[in-house]
Amino acid sequence: MLIKQRVTGFTVIELVVALVVFGALLAVGLPVFNLWTQNSQVRGVAAAIQNGLQFAKAEAVRRNAQVRFQLTDRLDNNCAISTAGNNWVVSFDDPTSACGANLLNEAFPVSDTTNNPAPRIIQTKPAAEGGGRVSVTADRAVAIFNGFGRLAPVAPATAAQALSIDVDAQNGDGDCSTAGTAKCLRVVVTIGGQIRTCDPTLPTGDPQRC
């Protein structure tokens, strides 16, 4: 007695239909995933910048001295302070062309410039940790906090000025002046030293709006 075995599998038509459905789902889902990734990177960079500013402020109060926060284009000894820099450096002195210097040696006083030569860097943060598809646009690349946690004047200004840093996706318009597809966030520092991240594109009355 012969036993017939049923051969299971997919027909060519079934495979074609499955591929078409998969392609349609991919076409719909990929842009959403890319947008989610961009928004996550924007939030990550904005949070990193806010944390850097808060750290600089806390160090200024703790040490009762002026501490600088700078956006830089890179973190080596060819660095320059830049209003479009994703990296940041917290230091006592201008770190231009010295962002790769050793961190402050806490075993010696800050005033010991032999063992702690300029720029006396306290902490740095590379842009790569936040995301590569994000642009930064600041109205000023340097914030100096004094021992009271307030903003101090940044030369050549004679008085302290508030600071605003826009963090946008690289395919955005470069700032948060208009609403775009991707998230755009603004980190704001008042003259009094208050630091917050907000979204200027949200409707009026929203507590998260700038």
Side-chain angles (χ1 to χ4, degrees):
M1 179 177 180
L2 296 176
I3 300 176
K4 294 183 178 180
Q5 292 183 338
R6 183 178 180 182
V7 179
T8 60
F10 296 102
T11 65
V12 174
I13 295 177
E14 289 173 332
L15 287 174
V16 170
V17 171
L19 289 174
V20 170
V21 172
F22 177 76
L25 292 174
L26 188 64
V28 173
L30 190 59
V32 175
F33 177 76
N34 285 336
L35 181 60
W36 178 84
T37 301
Q38 286 182 337
N39 288 342
S40 296
Q41 290 181 341
V42 167
R43 284 191 293 268
V45 172
I49 291 174
Q50 180 177 353
N51 291 339
L53 287 162
Q54 289 175 333
F55 175 76
K57 175 183 174 180
E59 285 294 294
V61 173
R62 183 174 75 88
R63 299 172 185 272
N64 192 27
Q66 289 195 348
V67 174
R68 300 166 56 100
F69 170 92
Q70 297 98 170
L71 294 172
T72 64
D73 60 352
R74 52 205 298 175
L75 287 178
D76 56 22
N77 289 335
N78 293 314
C79 68
I81 292 175
S82 170
T83 55
N86 284 16
N87 312 283
W88 55 255
V89 176
V90 174
S91 62
F92 284 93
D93 311 297
D94 185 343
T96 300
S97 299
C99 296
N102 292 331
L103 296 181
L104 191 71
N105 189 338
E106 297 289 354
F108 300 94
V110 174
S111 57
D112 183 352
T113 54
T114 299
N115 292 292
N116 276 317
R120 298 181 293 175
I121 295 175
I122 306 173
Q123 194 175 86
T124 63
K125 179 80 170 183
E129 292 187 16
R133 296 189 295 171
V134 174
S135 65
V136 172
T137 307
D139 55 12
R140 204 170 61 254
V142 180
I144 302 177
F145 294 94
N146 61 26
F148 295 102
R150 297 173 60 88
L151 285 181
V154 179
T158 57
Q161 298 175 330
L163 174 64
S164 177
I165 304 173
D166 286 354
V167 182
D168 193 10
Q170 279 189 349
N171 61 352
D173 58 8
D175 59 44
C176 296
S177 58
T178 57
T181 304
K183 177 70 69 177
C184 186
L185 298 174
R186 177 173 293 164
V187 182
V188 178
V189 186
T190 67
I191 296 176
Q194 288 77 29
I195 305 167
R196 65 185 291 251
T197 297
C198 52
D199 187 344
T201 63
L202 291 175
T204 303
D206 192 304
Q208 294 184 341
R209 177 183 168 88
C210 295

